[in-house]
Amino acid sequence: MRVSYVELFIHCKKVFRACGIPYGCADDGAEVVTWSEFIGLNGMQVLLDEIPNINPPGMESIHLLQEEKGLYRFDGRRQSAIILGKLMADFALGMSETKRTVRVYMQNTTRSRLLAQPAHYIASRGKGCLVNYKTREGKPMWILSTPEIAFPFFAEGDAAEQIMEQNLTADLGQYETASMTSDGFWLVCTSETTWITSCIRKLRQAAENRTMQLTESVHLKATFEKTYLQGAKIDMHHWNELDQIGRETLVKASGNA
């Protein structure tokens, strides 16, 4: 079965509304999942995995723990990063109106490759973005995005981590990634877009001689363009599972109609 972008978006939005997520955040979550599915990042599967972490109380209790030397630390209260990634992207963009670089660390949340969508969103607003987290296997994951490239760029593994740490500046959060835990993500929004482009070039060069897992922007772009035209071929089991959850938003008709 193939579905259009709009069809999948509406399908996913019902799921977030059924979980009690407010309309604006439900729209954001549905956009993250749909966009990720259309570029081949298994957005529907991640959504199903993270359903237990999507709940209204988690939204109400998210708060800023502290701001220190330009780093904003938030407690996600175990809310899904599908929602918090976009929320932090909006926060960082807002703060970037008066700051050249904004660094955000969100702890006590999930993390997945779906954090590429907030990075893409920041790049679409003319800023560069870095996202860093540890995978379930403990491997460092870096997502880089700039207005100059169409889609985000992924670099995974210790070799990628070493290169990024060597090239980070103090303003961009040098050494902060060394204290990264497995239950959070780190996001940078910056006007230094040429620096991010330079890092992507260095990662590509290093990958020629070292073991490093890269996902190229052009690959994601080609996948999105093909899928957008033809519709996304979705897993019917996943579709039906989400449909059952989304049906909880339906209101039974009264017998007085």
Side-chain angles (χ1 to χ4, degrees):
M1 175 180 173
R2 290 187 179 274
V3 299
S4 69
Y5 197 95
V6 173
E7 286 175 318
L8 184 54
F9 175 86
I10 293 173
H11 198 63
C12 293
K13 181 177 178 179
K14 290 179 181 178
V15 173
F16 287 99
R17 290 297 298 136
C19 293
I21 300 302
Y23 280 104
C25 289
D27 284 342
D28 289 342
E31 177 67 19
V32 169
V33 174
T34 304
W35 182 87
S36 299
E37 186 72 28
F38 269 66
I39 65 170
L41 297 182
N42 302 318
M44 293 172 66
Q45 177 64 69
V46 176
L47 174 57
L48 283 167
D49 291 342
E50 298 199 7
I51 287 294
N53 298 97
I54 300 174
N55 54 80
M59 294 300 298
E60 297 170 0
S61 58
I62 296 166
H63 66 281
L64 177 65
L65 294 173
Q66 66 178 12
E67 185 275 326
E68 183 180 3
K69 297 180 180 179
L71 175 66
Y72 297 85
R73 291 185 177 273
F74 285 84
D75 187 345
R77 297 290 184 174
R78 304 189 69 178
Q79 180 63 268
S80 170
I82 294 176
I83 296 174
L84 298 187
K86 178 59 165 54
L87 194 66
M88 290 300 97
D90 281 328
F91 172 82
L93 282 169
M95 297 300 295
S96 70
E97 293 182 5
T98 57
K99 297 175 180 288
R100 190 169 183 82
T101 298
V102 180
R103 308 193 310 281
V104 175
Y105 179 67
M106 174 62 77
Q107 66 183 49
N108 200 13
T109 183
T110 60
R111 62 267 182 268
S112 73
R113 289 165 70 90
L114 270 60
L115 286 166
Q117 198 280 336
H120 179 67
Y121 169 71
I122 286 176
S124 73
R125 298 301 189 272
K127 303 289 185 179
C129 183
L130 297 176
V131 175
N132 177 233
Y133 65 89
K134 291 186 182 297
T135 67
R136 291 180 180 178
E137 295 75 27
K139 293 182 179 180
M141 174 69 79
W142 285 87
I143 304 172
L144 301 87
S145 193
T146 74
E148 292 77 25
I149 58 176
F151 283 77
F153 174 93
F154 290 81
E156 180 179 352
D158 293 333
E161 181 86 344
Q162 183 179 5
I163 291 170
M164 291 303 299
E165 288 181 347
Q166 289 173 348
N167 288 278
L168 282 171
T169 65
D171 288 342
L172 290 167
Q174 190 175 29
Y175 308 124
E176 286 177 1
T177 60
S179 60
M180 178 67 64
T181 62
S182 60
D183 69 341
F185 65 85
W186 184 70
L187 180 149
V188 177
C189 172
T190 181
S191 299
E192 302 286 350
T193 61
T194 55
W195 176 87
I196 295 179
T197 304
S198 174
C199 284
I200 292 174
R201 183 171 60 252
K202 291 176 181 178
L203 286 164
R204 286 172 175 157
Q205 292 172 347
E208 296 176 0
N209 303 312
R210 304 170 69 176
T211 302
M212 194 184 306
Q213 185 175 341
L214 304 181
T215 302
E216 288 284 353
S217 171
V218 291
H219 171 72
L220 299 179
K221 181 176 184 290
T223 300
F224 180 84
E225 290 177 346
K226 179 180 179 180
T227 308
Y228 194 84
L229 288 174
Q230 299 179 357
K233 187 176 182 180
I234 53 93
D235 185 311
M236 282 303 301
H237 178 67
H238 293 165
W239 179 272
N240 291 334
E241 280 193 79
L242 293 175
D243 183 58
Q244 288 299 314
I245 298 169
R247 284 179 181 274
E248 295 180 18
T249 61
L250 300 178
V251 179
K252 293 183 179 178
S254 68
N256 299 321

